[in-house]
Amino acid sequence: MRTSSRLCYAVAFAGLLMQPLPMTPQTDLHQTDLHQEDRQALLKILSAVESAINAQDIEGLIAQMRPDCTVTWWNAEISRGHDDIRAYYRRMVKDEGRIINKYTTLAKLGAHARFVGSGTDVALADGSMEDEFFPIIRGPFKLNSRWSATAAKADGQWKIVNLHLSSNVFTNQLISELTRALWIAGGTGVVVGGLVGWFLGRRRKATA
């Protein structure tokens, strides 16, 4: 009798385990992304910015930004508004006395954009860049950089309102080149100093 009761309980418990669990947002792999269209629009902006930079097209870059957009550049200089952004780019890349001839990048998104504010009109995003600069006074060099951006939606269109660019100031190609140059200069100084000392020593012996 006890064996029969235990068997009934076991069968009933097994039946409960086999029943499907209620679907929750965490387990629903097909949950609709409420911002899917917005994310696609933001990805198009990222692609357009990358294409404009690689084409040296400052107007194409500015077209993705609101008139009051603020940009913080790699050298920590800040440009506010289209006119400032355009002037900075021309001074660095186009006009006489420019620092570089060309700049190219490969931009990647780090994670899904986050929507803040009312939930639909402001988005925050960040990612990485593989940059290559072509300076006037030296050969090209590459930097691995980071970017972060804030975009706002107005009249159905997303535009960048803030863009921040940065790179590792402690570990990069330029720092590595400077370190090598210092080691070479230091080593050369030691060798030259040793040769001068040896020469002066022989000279003193010769005149003694």
Side-chain angles (χ1 to χ4, degrees):
M1 190 69 177
R2 291 181 179 177
T3 302
S4 177
S5 299
R6 290 176 180 175
L7 180 61
C8 290
Y9 283 129
V11 171
F13 183 66
L16 288 174
L17 289 178
M18 295 178 65
Q19 291 182 1
L21 294 174
M23 188 64 73
T24 64
Q26 288 76 21
T27 58
D28 184 4
L29 300 180
H30 301 286
Q31 183 181 14
T32 302
D33 184 354
L34 299 178
H35 298 290
Q36 186 174 6
E37 292 185 3
D38 293 320
R39 296 189 194 282
Q40 292 301 317
L42 293 172
L43 286 174
K44 287 182 179 179
I45 290 179
L46 176 62
S47 178
V49 168
E50 179 186 82
S51 298
I53 289 174
N54 292 335
Q56 315 305 303
D57 178 15
I58 183 59
E59 298 304 324
L61 177 62
I62 288 176
Q64 307 306 319
M65 300 175 173
R66 280 179 43 150
D68 58 350
C69 180
T70 298
V71 179
T72 303
W73 305 97
W74 291 269
N75 62 347
E77 189 170 340
I78 298 176
S79 299
R80 297 181 176 88
H82 286 183
D83 289 341
D84 276 2
I85 296 169
R86 187 182 291 109
Y88 175 90
Y89 185 86
R90 293 199 60 86
R91 173 162 51 86
M92 298 294 288
V93 184
K94 295 291 186 180
D95 293 342
E96 186 176 353
R98 62 189 178 277
I99 304 299
I100 60 177
N101 281 319
K102 187 171 66 171
Y103 154 62
T104 61
T105 190
L106 174 62
K108 296 179 181 179
L109 183 66
H112 290 305
R114 295 181 292 116
F115 295 86
V116 297
S118 65
T120 59
D121 56 358
V122 178
L124 307 177
D126 64 84
S128 62
M129 297 180 296
E130 298 176 13
D131 303 317
E132 186 167 13
F133 297 87
F134 297 80
I136 298 294
I137 61 175
R138 52 154 294 161
F141 65 91
K142 295 181 179 180
L143 285 180
N144 292 323
S145 305
R146 301 290 303 179
W147 64 268
S148 62
T150 302
K153 188 177 183 180
D155 299 326
Q157 283 193 324
W158 286 96
K159 295 288 184 181
I160 299 172
V161 296
N162 186 77
L163 177 63
H164 192 284
L165 309 173
S166 63
S167 186
N168 190 335
V169 297
F170 301 107
T171 305
N172 59 58
Q173 182 176 331
L174 295 180
I175 295 296
S176 298
E177 290 181 3
L178 178 60
T179 302
R180 285 196 299 269
L182 290 174
W183 275 106
I184 292 173
T188 302
V190 170
V191 172
V192 171
L195 290 174
V196 169
W198 174 80
F199 176 76
L200 292 176
R202 286 180 59 86
R203 188 173 181 182
R204 289 193 186 98
K205 288 181 181 180
T207 57

